[in-house]
Amino acid sequence: MAVVSYALFGIAIFFFGGWCFVWLMHLIAIFNAKLKLHKKIQLIPPEEPLPGVSIIKPLVGVDPNLFINLETFFTMNYPQYELLLCIHDESDPSIMLVKRLMEKYPSVDAKIFIGGMKVGVNPKINNMQLGYEAAKYDLFLVSDSGIRMKEDTLLDMVLSMKDDTGLVHQMPFTCDRKGFPATLEKVFFGTSHARIYLSADFFRINCPTGMSALMRKKPLDEIGGIKAFAHYLAEDFFFAKSFTDRGWKLRISSQPAWQNSGHCDISSFRNRITRWGKLRFAMVPHTIFFEPLSECLFLGIFVAWSANFLFNWDCFVLYLVHVLVWFLLDWILLCIIQNGSLPFSKGDFVVAWIFRESSALYLYLKALFDPTIRWRTGTYKLRWGGVAEEIKSKL
Protein backbone atom coordinates (compact mmCIF):
# COMPACT_ATOMS: atom_id res chain seq x y z
CA MET A 1 0.00 0.00 0.00
CA ALA A 2 2.84 2.37 0.78
CA VAL A 3 4.28 1.86 -2.71
CA VAL A 4 0.89 2.67 -4.26
CA SER A 5 0.57 5.80 -2.12
CA TYR A 6 4.02 7.04 -3.14
CA ALA A 7 3.23 6.33 -6.79
CA LEU A 8 -0.04 8.27 -6.61
CA PHE A 9 1.73 11.09 -4.83
CA GLY A 10 4.34 11.26 -7.59
CA ILE A 11 1.67 11.22 -10.31
CA ALA A 12 -0.25 13.98 -8.54
CA ILE A 13 2.88 16.12 -8.24
CA PHE A 14 3.60 15.57 -11.95
CA PHE A 15 0.16 16.75 -13.07
CA PHE A 16 0.08 19.70 -10.68
CA GLY A 17 3.55 20.80 -11.74
CA GLY A 18 2.62 20.44 -15.40
CA TRP A 19 -0.49 22.52 -14.75
CA CYS A 20 1.63 25.33 -13.31
CA PHE A 21 3.92 25.16 -16.35
CA VAL A 22 0.95 25.48 -18.73
CA TRP A 23 -0.13 28.66 -16.93
CA LEU A 24 3.39 29.95 -17.41
CA MET A 25 3.02 29.24 -21.14
CA HIS A 26 -0.20 31.28 -21.20
CA LEU A 27 1.56 34.27 -19.62
CA ILE A 28 4.66 33.94 -21.82
CA ALA A 29 2.51 33.83 -24.96
CA ILE A 30 0.65 36.99 -23.93
CA PHE A 31 3.91 38.73 -23.02
CA ASN A 32 5.62 37.68 -26.27
CA ALA A 33 2.62 38.76 -28.33
CA LYS A 34 2.68 42.22 -26.74
CA LEU A 35 6.44 42.41 -27.13
CA LYS A 36 6.86 41.30 -30.74
CA LEU A 37 3.60 41.56 -32.69
CA HIS A 38 2.27 44.62 -34.52
CA LYS A 39 5.33 46.75 -33.87
CA LYS A 40 5.74 50.02 -35.73
CA ILE A 41 8.20 49.59 -38.59
CA GLN A 42 11.47 51.45 -38.09
CA LEU A 43 12.70 52.52 -41.50
CA ILE A 44 16.40 52.19 -42.22
CA PRO A 45 18.41 55.18 -43.52
CA PRO A 46 18.21 55.72 -47.31
CA GLU A 47 21.96 55.13 -47.68
CA GLU A 48 21.38 51.52 -46.60
CA PRO A 49 19.56 49.93 -49.58
CA LEU A 50 17.11 47.13 -48.92
CA PRO A 51 18.11 43.72 -50.31
CA GLY A 52 16.19 42.16 -53.17
CA VAL A 53 13.79 39.31 -52.41
CA SER A 54 12.70 36.37 -54.56
CA ILE A 55 9.15 35.34 -53.68
CA ILE A 56 8.24 31.75 -54.52
CA LYS A 57 4.50 31.08 -54.77
CA PRO A 58 3.50 27.41 -55.19
CA LEU A 59 0.03 27.24 -56.77
CA VAL A 60 -2.32 24.29 -57.18
CA GLY A 61 -5.88 25.00 -58.29
CA VAL A 62 -7.95 28.06 -57.47
CA ASP A 63 -10.26 29.21 -54.73
CA PRO A 64 -12.60 32.24 -54.57
CA ASN A 65 -9.95 34.43 -52.88
CA LEU A 66 -6.90 33.41 -54.93
CA PHE A 67 -6.99 36.44 -57.25
CA ILE A 68 -7.19 39.03 -54.46
CA ASN A 69 -4.57 37.18 -52.43
CA LEU A 70 -2.14 37.09 -55.35
CA GLU A 71 -2.82 40.72 -56.22
CA THR A 72 -1.48 41.83 -52.84
CA PHE A 73 1.92 40.47 -53.90
CA PHE A 74 1.86 42.66 -57.00
CA THR A 75 1.10 45.82 -54.99
CA MET A 76 3.58 45.58 -52.10
CA ASN A 77 5.52 48.67 -51.06
CA TYR A 78 9.01 47.23 -51.45
CA PRO A 79 11.68 48.51 -53.87
CA GLN A 80 13.13 45.30 -55.32
CA TYR A 81 11.55 41.88 -55.52
CA GLU A 82 10.59 39.22 -58.03
CA LEU A 83 7.58 36.92 -58.11
CA LEU A 84 8.26 33.32 -59.09
CA LEU A 85 4.85 31.71 -59.60
CA CYS A 86 5.17 27.94 -59.60
CA ILE A 87 2.11 26.18 -61.03
CA HIS A 88 1.45 22.47 -60.63
CA ASP A 89 0.75 21.64 -64.29
CA GLU A 90 -0.21 23.28 -67.58
CA SER A 91 -3.92 22.51 -67.11
CA ASP A 92 -4.09 24.28 -63.74
CA PRO A 93 -6.74 27.05 -63.84
CA SER A 94 -4.56 29.35 -61.71
CA ILE A 95 -2.49 30.10 -64.85
CA MET A 96 -5.27 32.29 -66.18
CA LEU A 97 -5.43 34.37 -62.98
CA VAL A 98 -1.66 34.77 -62.87
CA LYS A 99 -1.50 35.98 -66.48
CA ARG A 100 -4.28 38.49 -65.81
CA LEU A 101 -2.30 39.94 -62.91
CA MET A 102 0.91 40.06 -64.93
CA GLU A 103 -0.91 42.04 -67.62
CA LYS A 104 -2.45 44.34 -65.01
CA TYR A 105 0.92 45.01 -63.31
CA PRO A 106 3.54 44.87 -66.10
CA SER A 107 6.14 46.71 -63.99
CA VAL A 108 6.33 43.83 -61.49
CA ASP A 109 9.09 41.32 -62.18
CA ALA A 110 6.99 38.14 -62.36
CA LYS A 111 7.67 34.80 -64.00
CA ILE A 112 5.66 31.59 -64.40
CA PHE A 113 7.09 28.10 -63.93
CA ILE A 114 4.86 25.18 -64.90
CA GLY A 115 5.15 21.53 -63.97
CA GLY A 116 7.91 21.74 -61.40
CA MET A 117 10.60 19.08 -61.10
CA LYS A 118 10.38 15.71 -59.38
CA VAL A 119 13.11 15.76 -56.73
CA GLY A 120 11.38 13.82 -53.94
CA VAL A 121 8.03 12.90 -52.40
CA ASN A 122 7.14 16.42 -51.18
CA PRO A 123 4.79 17.88 -53.83
CA LYS A 124 5.29 21.45 -52.62
CA ILE A 125 9.07 21.28 -53.05
CA ASN A 126 8.67 19.55 -56.42
CA ASN A 127 6.44 22.43 -57.49
CA MET A 128 8.84 25.12 -56.19
CA GLN A 129 12.11 23.63 -57.46
CA LEU A 130 12.21 25.43 -60.83
CA GLY A 131 11.40 28.76 -59.19
CA TYR A 132 14.04 28.20 -56.54
CA GLU A 133 16.70 27.47 -59.17
CA ALA A 134 15.76 30.67 -61.03
CA ALA A 135 15.76 32.92 -57.93
CA LYS A 136 18.25 35.75 -58.40
CA TYR A 137 18.31 37.20 -54.87
CA ASP A 138 19.93 35.79 -51.76
CA LEU A 139 16.77 36.30 -49.71
CA PHE A 140 13.77 34.25 -50.77
CA LEU A 141 10.27 34.06 -49.37
CA VAL A 142 8.17 30.91 -49.55
CA SER A 143 4.53 31.98 -49.44
CA ASP A 144 1.49 29.72 -49.73
CA SER A 145 -1.33 30.54 -52.12
CA GLY A 146 -3.80 31.36 -49.34
CA ILE A 147 -1.65 34.13 -47.83
CA ARG A 148 -2.66 37.77 -48.18
CA MET A 149 -0.01 40.48 -47.74
CA LYS A 150 -0.26 44.02 -46.49
CA GLU A 151 1.70 46.67 -48.35
CA ASP A 152 4.44 46.72 -45.70
CA THR A 153 4.54 43.01 -44.78
CA LEU A 154 7.61 42.16 -46.86
CA LEU A 155 9.40 45.24 -45.52
CA ASP A 156 8.60 44.13 -41.97
CA MET A 157 10.02 40.67 -42.62
CA VAL A 158 13.21 41.95 -44.27
CA LEU A 159 13.88 44.38 -41.41
CA SER A 160 13.55 41.44 -39.02
CA MET A 161 16.31 39.61 -40.91
CA LYS A 162 19.38 40.54 -38.85
CA ASP A 163 22.96 39.56 -39.69
CA ASP A 164 22.78 36.49 -37.44
CA THR A 165 19.33 35.42 -38.69
CA GLY A 166 18.78 32.61 -41.18
CA LEU A 167 14.98 32.53 -41.24
CA VAL A 168 12.18 34.99 -40.44
CA HIS A 169 8.77 33.43 -39.95
CA GLN A 170 5.24 34.72 -39.53
CA MET A 171 2.88 33.37 -36.89
CA PRO A 172 -0.16 31.87 -38.63
CA PHE A 173 -3.39 33.83 -38.18
CA THR A 174 -6.44 34.50 -40.34
CA CYS A 175 -8.10 37.41 -42.12
CA ASP A 176 -11.59 38.44 -41.06
CA ARG A 177 -14.13 36.29 -42.87
CA LYS A 178 -17.78 35.49 -42.32
CA GLY A 179 -19.31 32.26 -41.03
CA PHE A 180 -18.75 29.87 -38.13
CA PRO A 181 -15.88 27.92 -39.79
CA ALA A 182 -13.99 31.22 -40.22
CA THR A 183 -14.65 32.09 -36.58
CA LEU A 184 -13.42 28.66 -35.52
CA GLU A 185 -10.20 29.06 -37.49
CA LYS A 186 -9.52 32.52 -36.04
CA VAL A 187 -10.16 31.27 -32.51
CA PHE A 188 -7.85 28.27 -33.00
CA PHE A 189 -4.98 30.24 -34.54
CA GLY A 190 -5.39 33.08 -32.05
CA THR A 191 -5.55 30.91 -28.90
CA SER A 192 -4.41 27.28 -28.80
CA HIS A 193 -2.01 27.47 -31.74
CA ALA A 194 -0.73 30.95 -30.85
CA ARG A 195 -0.04 29.96 -27.25
CA ILE A 196 2.24 27.10 -28.32
CA TYR A 197 3.79 29.08 -31.17
CA LEU A 198 4.62 32.20 -29.16
CA SER A 199 5.87 30.19 -26.17
CA ALA A 200 8.14 28.14 -28.44
CA ASP A 201 9.45 31.32 -30.06
CA PHE A 202 10.19 32.81 -26.62
CA PHE A 203 12.29 29.76 -25.68
CA ARG A 204 13.85 29.68 -29.20
CA ILE A 205 12.36 26.30 -29.98
CA ASN A 206 11.90 25.37 -33.65
CA CYS A 207 8.32 26.47 -34.41
CA PRO A 208 8.17 28.12 -37.89
CA THR A 209 5.50 27.05 -40.35
CA GLY A 210 6.15 27.05 -44.07
CA MET A 211 3.16 29.12 -45.11
CA SER A 212 5.21 32.33 -45.00
CA ALA A 213 8.93 32.23 -44.29
CA LEU A 214 11.81 34.43 -45.45
CA MET A 215 15.14 32.60 -45.71
CA ARG A 216 18.73 33.05 -46.79
CA LYS A 217 19.40 31.14 -49.98
CA LYS A 218 23.19 30.73 -49.75
CA PRO A 219 23.16 28.66 -46.51
CA LEU A 220 20.52 26.36 -48.03
CA ASP A 221 22.49 26.03 -51.26
CA GLU A 222 25.46 24.88 -49.20
CA ILE A 223 23.53 21.75 -48.18
CA GLY A 224 21.83 21.13 -51.54
CA GLY A 225 19.01 23.70 -51.71
CA ILE A 226 15.37 22.96 -51.02
CA LYS A 227 15.53 19.63 -52.85
CA ALA A 228 17.64 18.31 -49.95
CA PHE A 229 14.42 18.39 -47.92
CA ALA A 230 12.16 16.78 -50.51
CA HIS A 231 11.94 13.46 -48.63
CA TYR A 232 10.12 15.24 -45.79
CA LEU A 233 6.52 16.50 -45.85
CA ALA A 234 7.16 18.99 -43.03
CA GLU A 235 9.91 20.73 -44.95
CA ASP A 236 9.37 23.92 -42.92
CA PHE A 237 10.50 22.24 -39.69
CA PHE A 238 13.64 20.91 -41.35
CA PHE A 239 14.41 24.23 -43.10
CA ALA A 240 14.48 25.86 -39.67
CA LYS A 241 16.43 22.99 -38.12
CA SER A 242 19.09 23.22 -40.82
CA PHE A 243 19.65 26.87 -39.90
CA THR A 244 19.71 26.42 -36.12
CA ASP A 245 22.01 23.39 -36.38
CA ARG A 246 24.60 25.67 -37.98
CA GLY A 247 24.26 28.53 -35.53
CA TRP A 248 21.77 30.75 -37.34
CA LYS A 249 18.91 32.31 -35.38
CA LEU A 250 15.20 32.29 -36.12
CA ARG A 251 13.12 35.44 -35.70
CA ILE A 252 9.42 36.11 -35.79
CA SER A 253 7.99 38.91 -37.92
CA SER A 254 5.83 41.47 -36.14
CA GLN A 255 3.01 40.84 -38.62
CA PRO A 256 1.14 37.51 -38.58
CA ALA A 257 0.69 35.46 -41.73
CA TRP A 258 -2.76 36.50 -42.92
CA GLN A 259 -4.43 33.31 -44.16
CA ASN A 260 -7.30 34.14 -46.48
CA SER A 261 -8.39 30.95 -48.20
CA GLY A 262 -11.71 31.17 -49.98
CA HIS A 263 -12.60 27.62 -48.93
CA CYS A 264 -13.47 27.57 -45.25
CA ASP A 265 -15.33 24.63 -43.74
CA ILE A 266 -15.09 22.56 -40.58
CA SER A 267 -14.14 19.34 -42.34
CA SER A 268 -11.15 20.94 -44.10
CA PHE A 269 -10.09 22.60 -40.86
CA ARG A 270 -10.18 19.30 -38.96
CA ASN A 271 -8.27 17.48 -41.70
CA ARG A 272 -5.59 20.15 -41.64
CA ILE A 273 -5.17 20.06 -37.86
CA THR A 274 -5.06 16.26 -37.93
CA ARG A 275 -2.39 16.28 -40.66
CA TRP A 276 -0.23 18.65 -38.61
CA GLY A 277 -0.64 16.37 -35.60
CA LYS A 278 0.56 13.34 -37.57
CA LEU A 279 3.64 15.26 -38.70
CA ARG A 280 4.44 16.35 -35.13
CA PHE A 281 4.10 12.81 -33.81
CA ALA A 282 6.51 11.49 -36.45
CA MET A 283 9.10 14.27 -36.05
CA VAL A 284 8.91 14.84 -32.29
CA PRO A 285 7.54 11.60 -30.78
CA HIS A 286 7.37 12.86 -27.18
CA THR A 287 4.50 15.14 -28.20
CA ILE A 288 2.34 12.00 -28.36
CA PHE A 289 2.35 11.98 -24.58
CA PHE A 290 2.51 15.69 -23.74
CA GLU A 291 0.14 17.17 -26.34
CA PRO A 292 -3.13 16.02 -24.70
CA LEU A 293 -1.92 17.53 -21.43
CA SER A 294 -1.77 20.95 -23.09
CA GLU A 295 -5.52 20.89 -23.76
CA CYS A 296 -7.83 22.70 -21.35
CA LEU A 297 -10.62 20.20 -20.73
CA PHE A 298 -8.44 17.09 -20.64
CA LEU A 299 -5.76 18.61 -18.40
CA GLY A 300 -8.40 19.97 -16.04
CA ILE A 301 -9.60 16.48 -15.17
CA PHE A 302 -6.16 15.34 -14.01
CA VAL A 303 -5.43 18.59 -12.21
CA ALA A 304 -8.72 18.47 -10.33
CA TRP A 305 -7.85 14.98 -9.11
CA SER A 306 -4.24 15.85 -8.24
CA ALA A 307 -5.22 19.00 -6.31
CA ASN A 308 -7.82 17.02 -4.38
CA PHE A 309 -5.26 14.30 -3.61
CA LEU A 310 -2.53 16.75 -2.54
CA PHE A 311 -4.48 19.57 -0.90
CA ASN A 312 -8.01 18.23 -0.53
CA TRP A 313 -9.36 20.99 -2.80
CA ASP A 314 -12.85 20.62 -4.22
CA CYS A 315 -12.53 18.92 -7.64
CA PHE A 316 -15.62 20.50 -9.18
CA VAL A 317 -14.83 24.06 -8.10
CA LEU A 318 -11.21 23.80 -9.20
CA TYR A 319 -12.22 22.43 -12.60
CA LEU A 320 -14.64 25.33 -13.18
CA VAL A 321 -12.03 27.90 -12.12
CA HIS A 322 -9.45 26.21 -14.34
CA VAL A 323 -11.71 26.40 -17.41
CA LEU A 324 -12.81 29.99 -16.68
CA VAL A 325 -9.28 31.36 -16.27
CA TRP A 326 -8.07 29.46 -19.34
CA PHE A 327 -10.97 30.92 -21.33
CA LEU A 328 -10.20 34.49 -20.18
CA LEU A 329 -6.49 34.22 -20.98
CA ASP A 330 -7.33 32.86 -24.44
CA TRP A 331 -9.63 35.85 -25.02
CA ILE A 332 -6.84 38.26 -24.00
CA LEU A 333 -4.32 36.56 -26.30
CA LEU A 334 -6.72 36.57 -29.25
CA CYS A 335 -7.45 40.29 -28.82
CA ILE A 336 -3.72 41.10 -28.75
CA ILE A 337 -3.08 39.14 -31.94
CA GLN A 338 -6.12 40.60 -33.70
CA ASN A 339 -4.87 44.12 -32.83
CA GLY A 340 -8.33 45.56 -33.41
CA SER A 341 -12.00 44.71 -33.23
CA LEU A 342 -12.88 41.05 -33.62
CA PRO A 343 -15.26 40.26 -36.51
CA PHE A 344 -17.60 38.27 -34.25
CA SER A 345 -19.41 38.69 -30.94
CA LYS A 346 -18.35 37.41 -27.52
CA GLY A 347 -21.11 34.81 -27.82
CA ASP A 348 -19.65 33.55 -31.09
CA PHE A 349 -16.26 33.31 -29.40
CA VAL A 350 -17.73 31.21 -26.57
CA VAL A 351 -19.33 28.77 -29.01
CA ALA A 352 -16.21 28.47 -31.20
CA TRP A 353 -13.93 28.12 -28.17
CA ILE A 354 -16.03 25.34 -26.62
CA PHE A 355 -16.29 23.56 -29.98
CA ARG A 356 -12.52 23.72 -30.49
CA GLU A 357 -11.65 22.59 -26.97
CA SER A 358 -14.18 19.76 -26.89
CA SER A 359 -13.01 18.36 -30.25
CA ALA A 360 -9.28 18.51 -29.45
CA LEU A 361 -9.06 14.99 -27.98
CA TYR A 362 -10.96 13.49 -30.94
CA LEU A 363 -8.55 15.11 -33.43
CA TYR A 364 -5.57 13.93 -31.36
CA LEU A 365 -6.78 10.32 -31.39
CA LYS A 366 -7.57 10.50 -35.10
CA ALA A 367 -4.03 11.69 -35.83
CA LEU A 368 -2.51 9.07 -33.54
CA PHE A 369 -4.31 6.01 -34.90
CA ASP A 370 -4.38 6.90 -38.61
CA PRO A 371 -0.77 7.76 -39.53
CA THR A 372 -1.32 8.05 -43.30
CA ILE A 373 -1.43 11.57 -44.71
CA ARG A 374 -3.54 12.67 -47.66
CA TRP A 375 -2.14 15.91 -49.00
CA ARG A 376 -2.40 17.60 -52.37
CA THR A 377 -2.07 14.92 -55.05
CA GLY A 378 -0.89 11.95 -53.01
CA THR A 379 -1.18 9.75 -49.96
CA TYR A 380 1.87 9.31 -47.75
CA LYS A 381 3.12 7.18 -44.90
CA LEU A 382 5.40 8.74 -42.31
CA ARG A 383 8.39 7.08 -40.71
CA TRP A 384 9.86 8.13 -37.39
CA GLY A 385 11.95 11.23 -37.93
CA GLY A 386 9.53 12.72 -40.45
CA VAL A 387 10.70 10.96 -43.62
CA ALA A 388 7.72 10.38 -45.93
CA GLU A 389 6.97 7.56 -48.35
CA GLU A 390 4.36 8.00 -51.07
CA ILE A 391 2.03 5.00 -51.06
CA LYS A 392 -0.69 6.11 -53.42
CA SER A 393 -1.16 8.76 -56.08
CA LYS A 394 -4.46 10.10 -57.25
CA LEU A 395 -5.14 9.63 -60.93
Side-chain angles (χ1 to χ4, degrees):
M1 292 297 294
V3 174
V4 173
S5 296
Y6 282 125
L8 290 175
F9 182 80
I11 293 171
I13 288 291
F14 171 79
F15 283 121
F16 195 83
W19 186 55
C20 294
F21 179 75
V22 169
W23 290 124
L24 179 63
M25 288 177 58
H26 275 278
L27 298 177
I28 287 174
I30 291 171
F31 170 78
N32 209 22
K34 288 290 289 183
L35 179 68
K36 294 182 178 178
L37 297 184
H38 306 294
K39 294 189 299 183
K40 186 176 181 180
I41 295 176
Q42 300 293 327
L43 295 178
I44 63 175
E47 61 269 15
E48 298 182 27
L50 291 164
V53 179
S54 299
I55 302 174
I56 303 176
K57 295 286 294 183
L59 302 175
V60 179
V62 298
D63 70 39
N65 289 345
L66 180 61
F67 185 86
I68 59 175
N69 289 338
L70 285 178
E71 188 169 26
T72 63
F73 286 81
F74 283 81
T75 58
M76 290 187 299
N77 184 17
Y78 193 82
Q80 192 175 28
Y81 67 95
E82 62 174 346
L83 279 174
L84 308 173
L85 300 137
C86 303
I87 300 173
H88 183 255
D89 60 54
E90 59 185 10
S91 64
D92 198 296
S94 63
I95 295 177
M96 178 181 65
L97 299 184
V98 169
K99 289 183 176 179
R100 282 173 54 192
L101 287 167
M102 291 174 66
E103 292 173 359
K104 186 176 180 180
Y105 300 97
S107 62
V108 176
D109 184 4
K111 303 180 185 68
I112 297 175
F113 300 87
I114 299 175
M117 179 186 297
K118 181 74 172 180
V119 292
V121 299
N122 187 311
K124 182 177 178 180
I125 288 184
N126 291 340
N127 194 6
M128 295 192 299
Q129 181 60 30
L130 293 178
Y132 179 83
E133 291 180 351
K136 61 185 179 183
Y137 299 118
D138 184 54
L139 294 183
F140 75 100
L141 172 70
V142 173
S143 178
D144 286 355
S145 61
I147 297 297
R148 180 169 185 157
M149 299 286 266
K150 295 184 177 180
E151 287 188 353
D152 59 352
T153 301
L154 183 57
L155 177 62
D156 178 74
M157 297 185 76
V158 170
L159 293 181
S160 299
M161 181 69 79
K162 308 301 181 184
D163 291 340
D164 61 352
T165 307
L167 184 151
V168 173
H169 54 105
Q170 290 187 284
M171 190 198 75
F173 196 46
T174 63
C175 292
D176 295 349
R177 293 168 294 173
K178 294 181 180 179
F180 178 74
T183 300
L184 179 63
E185 285 195 7
K186 187 175 283 286
V187 169
F188 169 75
F189 283 106
T191 60
S192 175
H193 190 274
R195 180 171 61 254
I196 302 297
Y197 200 95
L198 290 167
S199 299
D201 172 74
F202 182 83
F203 289 112
R204 302 195 177 187
I205 298 171
N206 184 352
C207 64
T209 66
M211 63 181 66
S212 183
L214 181 70
M215 292 171 271
R216 294 188 185 274
K217 190 170 185 290
K218 186 177 179 181
L220 282 186
D221 285 340
E222 291 172 356
I223 57 174
I226 63 172
K227 66 182 179 182
F229 304 88
H231 53 296
Y232 301 113
L233 288 187
E235 77 290 335
D236 45 7
F237 175 87
F238 292 99
F239 283 158
K241 187 176 184 298
S242 74
F243 283 110
T244 57
D245 285 350
R246 290 175 289 162
W248 293 94
K249 291 183 179 179
L250 312 176
R251 296 188 187 276
I252 192 171
S253 171
S254 78
Q255 291 190 21
W258 299 101
Q259 301 173 84
N260 191 41
S261 173
H263 297 305
C264 190
D265 60 80
I266 293 175
S267 178
S268 298
F269 168 76
R270 284 182 162 181
N271 289 338
R272 187 182 185 194
I273 302 308
T274 302
R275 185 176 73 246
W276 288 358
K278 295 174 184 180
L279 291 169
R280 285 193 302 275
F281 299 160
M283 295 183 302
V284 193
H286 66 262
T287 60
I288 294 175
F289 177 74
F290 288 107
E291 189 161 312
L293 300 180
S294 68
E295 298 294 347
C296 175
L297 303 182
F298 191 70
L299 175 61
I301 295 172
F302 291 97
V303 170
W305 167 80
S306 64
N308 178 264
F309 182 86
L310 294 171
F311 311 112
N312 203 31
W313 292 354
D314 186 286
C315 293
F316 183 70
V317 172
L318 179 63
Y319 189 84
L320 291 180
V321 171
H322 161 85
V323 172
L324 177 61
V325 176
W326 193 297
F327 171 86
L328 292 175
L329 292 178
D330 273 355
W331 171 261
I332 292 170
L333 180 59
L334 175 62
C335 290
I336 293 171
I337 296 170
Q338 177 73 9
N339 196 37
S341 299
L342 290 166
F344 45 79
S345 68
K346 292 182 177 66
D348 292 333
F349 173 77
V350 172
V351 174
W353 187 88
I354 292 175
F355 185 90
R356 210 302 299 181
E357 296 297 330
S358 61
S359 62
L361 183 59
Y362 164 75
L363 296 180
Y364 165 81
L365 294 174
K366 184 178 179 182
L368 183 61
F369 291 108
D370 180 15
T372 57
I373 288 183
R374 295 163 185 84
W375 183 47
R376 295 201 177 194
T377 58
T379 302
Y380 307 88
K381 182 178 180 180
L382 289 176
R383 302 173 188 165
W384 294 117
V387 174
E389 176 186 351
E390 189 169 8
I391 58 176
K392 179 182 177 182
S393 296
K394 295 181 180 179
L395 297 179

